[in-house]
Amino acid sequence: QVQLVESGGGLVQPGGSLRLSCAASGSIFGIYTMGWYRQAPGNQRELVATITRGGATNYADSVKGRFTISRDNAKNTMWLQMNSLKPEDTAVYYCNAQEELGGNRYLQHWGQGTLVTVSS
């Protein structure tokens, strides 16, 4: 079973930077897409960025030009570099991995989340 563990969250001032990490363990051969999602109080969980096993990336409009997602398949690790942080970025950030089971069946794996607070 796939297990995901996030780290790197914390308190940062507006305009600052943070780097989040996600370490994966278990049977990860079927994982194709990984990504970062976030959820602020009163909001639905939303996509921040995704990256395929081949390295293709996709970003939410709100973070384009500020955030960078990357992964190392050999080390089973994914990162999210966050620059020019805004108060609107405050949320719990979750690591996600999409596992293809075959026959158009997919299983979503989630980490426990790491809190990012952007405030003076």
Side-chain angles (χ1 to χ4, degrees), residues 38-81:
R38 66 187 182 187
Q39 186 168 18
N43 288 35
Q44 296 290 321
R45 188 172 299 184
E46 65 177 359
L47 181 149
V48 176
T50 61
I51 183 168
T52 68
R53 189 172 185 85
T57 59
N58 182 53
Y59 297 91
D61 289 340
S62 60
V63 306
K64 286 182 179 178
R66 300 188 298 119
F67 291 10
T68 302
I69 188 172
S70 60
R71 67 188 287 180
D72 187 328
N73 295 325
K75 296 182 178 180
N76 301 323
T77 305
M78 179 179 65
W79 300 271
L80 182 68
Q81 178 66 47

Side-chain angles (χ1 to χ4, degrees), residues 2-7 20-25 31 33-39 45-46 48-49 51 69-71 76-80 92-98 108-114:
V2 175
Q3 295 177 334
L4 305 174
V5 180
E6 305 99 332
S7 63
L20 306 182
S21 298
C22 175
S25 62
I31 295 178
T33 302
M34 297 185 71
W36 291 95
Y37 293 72
R38 66 187 182 187
Q39 186 168 18
R45 188 172 299 184
E46 65 177 359
V48 176
I51 183 168
I69 188 172
S70 60
R71 67 188 287 180
N76 301 323
T77 305
M78 179 179 65
W79 300 271
L80 182 68
V92 176
Y93 284 71
Y94 296 91
C95 178
N96 169 268
Q98 183 184 46
Q108 300 292 332
H109 300 280
W110 297 93
Q112 296 303 305
T114 184

Side-chain angles (χ1 to χ4, degrees), residues 79-92:
W79 300 271
L80 182 68
Q81 178 66 47
M82 305 184 294
N83 298 325
S84 301
L85 283 163
K86 305 174 181 179
E88 305 94 279
D89 296 318
T90 296
V92 176

